[in-house]
Structure formats: C-alpha cells, structure tokens
Amino acid sequence: MNYGEHLENVFSICENKSVLEIGAFHGYISQFIEKSNPHTYYVIEPNPYAAKEGVFFGTANDYYKDECPTVDIVILMGVLYHLHSPLHLLEQIINKSKPKTIIIENTISKFEMGFSKELYNVAGNAFSDKDIATPLEWHITLPQHYYNDVMNEAGYKTDYIISNYDHLYIDEDHKTEKTKKTCWLGVYTR
C-alpha cells in the first residue's frame, strides 16, 4: 500500500460529513479529503503562499476568535508538532468545533517531550498570530501516548492508531523511497 491509498482509506469516513482541515498548506492531503466527498469542507491555512480561494487565511487562533461552525470531523495532519501550545489548539477544537472525530498525524517523539526552536512558522504558533507583540518561536513535540491520554480524558476513544509508517511507500513506482517513517496517525471518536 502506498501513502495515498492509506489516506484514501483513512479519509473515507469523511463521506457526507462536515470536515475542518487545519493547516492544509499546498493541498496534498486536501485532495484525499475532497475525494471522499464531504458535504461541507472548511480549511484553515496560515501560510499566505499556500492559501487558496475559499480557504480561511489565518491561524487556528484567528479562526477560533470568532463564532465558528461545529463539524463532524477535524483533521490535523502534520500540524501539532509545529506548535508551542498543541494542547491549547486541541482545547479550542474540542470546545468550539465539537467534532465527533479528530484525526491527528504527528511525529514520533524519541523522548518524553521534544522542545526546539521553530525558525519560521506560519503553521499556527503565536509567532504568526497577528496580535502577538513578543512571539515565542518554539515548538513542543509530545509523544503519542500523551495525546491518547488527553483525548481519552476529553471523552474520545482511540479508534485507530498506526505508528509504523515504514511500509507505506510514496508510490508504487518508487518503492525505495519511503515517507512518514517518523510519524503516527490516530483517529479519535466520541
């Protein structure tokens, strides 16, 4: 199976659902979400070079300042490890978007917690928020089991976890190139 086939399988749950994707960037993941035919599809993208028409341009913090719609599914693919407050974003999602399902793809932390400088970030840190005068240019990487604990405490059960991406090739023609070797993906529902 290649990574695209994996995404088609994961996002098949989006069919006829309202979906919010946070951090779409250039839309590689978005194409798989759109292919699943959601009935409503919202996208947040803070990077001005990647934002397209119909996309909320700004950070998740900008988005959640105003009244926002509730949705069935929120998708965070490669977003949380760019944030210095990933749990703050999850709080906003859970309390304001009120999704039944949250899909998270994140890096595997070799330590209990990773903490390092984010050189340039438009993925949602305060570094890119418009009303922050003194940005904190750091990000935190939490291990998978912390997210499992947090989501369970918030009333979500862990439906699906894949933590070994080594077998997912970029595509069938390039079997020597692997992708997402250091990532895990979790689907949480309530």
Side-chain angles (χ1 to χ4, degrees):
M1 177 185 294
N2 66 35
Y3 186 58
E5 291 166 336
H6 166 68
L7 294 177
E8 284 180 15
N9 182 47
V10 170
F11 295 136
S12 66
I13 66 170
C14 297
E15 184 176 5
N16 295 320
K17 302 281 193 302
S18 57
V19 176
L20 169 63
E21 180 186 10
I22 299 176
F25 200 54
H26 289 295
Y28 178 75
I29 301 295
S30 305
Q31 68 182 323
F32 296 100
I33 298 167
E34 290 169 347
K35 192 175 185 179
S36 72
N37 198 26
H39 77 68
T40 312
Y41 181 39
Y42 306 97
V43 178
I44 300 171
E45 177 49 55
N47 186 333
Y49 302 107
K52 306 181 287 196
E53 187 177 334
V55 171
F56 177 87
F57 171 66
T59 66
N61 285 336
D62 297 329
Y63 179 80
Y64 284 116
K65 283 180 186 171
D66 297 322
E67 194 71 26
C68 58
T70 59
V71 295
D72 297 314
I73 301 170
V74 173
I75 298 171
L76 298 156
M77 300 290 285
V79 172
L80 293 176
Y81 59 82
H82 289 291
L83 306 178
H84 61 68
S85 302
L87 298 182
H88 174 66
L89 177 55
L90 285 176
E91 275 183 328
Q92 291 183 95
I93 290 167
I94 291 165
N95 289 292
K96 295 184 178 182
S97 291
K98 300 178 179 17
K100 294 177 185 77
T101 303
I102 299 174
I103 299 173
I104 297 171
E105 184 179 81
N106 206 25
T107 59
I108 294 171
S109 178
K110 293 182 181 3
F111 309 101
E112 276 301 294
M113 184 176 83
F115 185 60
S116 57
K117 193 154 183 138
E118 185 82 18
L119 297 176
Y120 176 70
N121 181 13
V122 292
N125 268 351
F127 182 55
S128 63
D129 286 343
K130 296 166 187 68
D131 61 347
I132 300 293
T134 305
L136 302 177
E137 301 176 30
W138 294 79
H139 69 92
I140 293 173
T141 304
L142 299 174
Q144 174 191 330
H145 69 91
Y146 284 8
Y147 285 107
N148 293 345
D149 292 346
V150 167
M151 297 307 292
N152 286 288
E153 184 72 24
Y156 288 82
K157 67 181 175 93
T158 305
D159 271 351
Y160 176 78
I161 292 284
I162 180 170
S163 57
N164 180 3
Y165 272 63
D166 285 349
H167 67 286
L168 294 176
Y169 297 101
I170 293 173
D171 59 48
E172 291 304 317
D173 296 330
H174 300 94
K175 289 192 185 249
T176 57
E177 296 180 60
K178 295 183 179 180
T179 183
K180 304 291 186 178
K181 287 199 282 191
T182 60
C183 288
W184 61 271
L185 181 132
V187 178
Y188 302 92
T189 61
R190 66 171 166 185

